[in-house]
Amino acid sequence: MTGMRGRPRGFDRDAALGAAIELFWRRGYEGTSVSELTEAMGIRPGSLYAAFGDKRALFAEVVDTYGRSPVGAFMAEALAEEPTAFGAFARILREAADIYPDPAHPAGCLTISAATNVAVQDAEVEAFLRELRNANVKVFRERLRVACEGGELPGDADVNALAGYFAAVIQGMSQRARDGATREELAQVARMAMGAWSQCGLTDLEEGGGVR
Amino acid sequence: MTGMRGRPRGFDRDAALGAAIELFWRRGYEGTSVSELTEAMGIRPGSLYAAFGDKRALFAEVVDTYGRSPVGAFMAEALAEEPTAFGAFARILREAADIYPDPAHPAGCLTISAATNVAVQDAEVEAFLRELRNANVKVFRERLRVACEGGELPGDADVNALAGYFAAVIQGMSQRARDGATREELAQVARMAMGAWSQCGLTDLEEGGGVR
DNA sequence: CGACTTCTTGAGCGAGCGTTCTAGAATGAC
DNA sequence: GTCATTCTAGAACGCTCGCTCAAGAAGTCG
């Protein structure tokens, strides 16, 4: 009962997982086939299923591992470390503009890209992805609520709308990065997006005529 | 050489196309199988291939038809009809908040949903979808350029960034609608998004310390 | 040394994919 | 009527999918 018994694994599990991350990041959940995975990971299907379960479980582990990586966790870190909500969201947008187009890895955010995928047949995976999306919005909302209670935002600020707004912008930045937007363009988008901060759902700029 | 020869078509082509639109709108390109299509359209595969070509051609026709429909053309109409760029984009956002969550049809924008799909295996379809996305940004950019030349915007306004910004927000609104966001939430998002207008890439709100 | 356990290999499973084929049915032209 | 043409119905094509299985290889145990 000392060392583990049986034939030892013949490949580096972490390296194989890294290859899976890269592949899922680039091509999404359903866009990546098991045979592509086994080829990229350098193993045979039997080994994949023995080491990771099935494709769904592997994807879940990929998302989890990515979320703990420096690139994947930058939002959570900003929300936790910045003293003000304004500082946190400004930093998130600024860093997203740096990270998303970085050629060192596939463009955009793995989580957002995977979660944005609308072609998912598998109902369980679809629910999983929807949870990923809404979890992000929920975290934003919570941070904004704290800002309201702390007095940084007016007590009647619409945290729902602000959270939805930032989620939308960030997701859009990820997609724009995938479509080839440069770091400079994304930085500008980030700067403009923070312009909404001064509004907080208070100002009413309805104008331009009553079409519809 | 008078009437068309051969056995006449036994189904309503427009109605069948409408069913295909509904299906592609809900489930995306790759999420919709030909057998699902034939069932929803009430025809057999042979009839589908005879009338529409193949799945790709059918999808292209779906996108085109949707783009000419009132719901699909609201952006182009706003850009063409509103005298100011501000009015056009404000109207686009306002109408998107109305249309995207409308339960009369699948949530969000067919074009954006389909184009956002990252799981597309077929390289040609992927290129087609990318073009759809970038065409939108391009149209925005052009309208903003006109606004610069007309004096509505400062001549050195960053039309690239503004166009990318609005594209990102609108895409995010479509996705939020698909995730169940209400008309009210989207209307708030739209209002906030227009707050960026006053900036036009001039203001610099870099602050919050030099983390990163 | 076996006995036991675990991993690897490679073939192959059933199901679904997009698509095509064959037969026959329904029309206009002559 | 007969022919050419066009559509319909249904079976089936080849392919890929995610996944499994049987056999053997490579270790730790006693």
Side-chain angles (χ1 to χ4, degrees), chain B residues 183-201:
Chain B
R183 195 154 59 95
E184 288 72 24
E185 178 184 330
L186 292 180
Q188 296 271 43
V189 170
R191 210 178 312 153
M192 272 186 294
M194 284 308 290
W197 196 264
S198 53
Q199 310 229 310
C200 297

Side-chain angles (χ1 to χ4, degrees), chain A residues 8-20:
Chain A
R9 182 173 287 127
F11 62 95
D12 181 340
R13 194 180 188 280
D14 288 344
L17 184 59

Side-chain angles (χ1 to χ4, degrees), chain B residues 98-165:
Chain B
D98 268 357
I99 292 173
Y100 287 170
D102 187 341
H105 48 69
C109 170
L110 183 153
T111 306
I112 292 175
S113 295
T116 300
N117 191 326
V118 294
V120 175
Q121 300 271 31
D122 190 314
E124 280 189 40
V125 174
E126 182 164 4
F128 174 61
L129 296 180
R130 178 169 295 223
E131 264 178 44
L132 280 183
R133 276 179 298 219
N134 286 332
N136 220 14
V137 182
K138 206 168 162 187
V139 170
F140 285 177
R141 198 152 40 209
E142 183 56 23
R143 182 65 186 87
L144 291 164
R145 201 185 52 74
V146 170
C148 282
E149 288 180 353
E152 182 188 349
L153 286 175
D156 62 342
D158 192 334
V159 297
N160 255 11
L162 261 174
Y165 170 74

Side-chain angles (χ1 to χ4, degrees), chain B residues 52-96:
Chain B
F52 298 99
D54 58 5
K55 188 187 174 187
R56 292 206 283 230
L58 172 59
F59 181 68
E61 190 168 342
V62 159
V63 169
D64 184 69
T65 305
Y66 168 85
R68 297 180 198 282
S69 76
V71 166
F74 78 97
M75 290 197 211
E77 281 175 11
L79 288 171
E81 293 173 10
E82 292 295 323
T84 66
F86 178 93
F89 282 98
R91 173 173 154 191
I92 285 175
L93 292 175
R94 231 183 306 129
E95 294 191 354

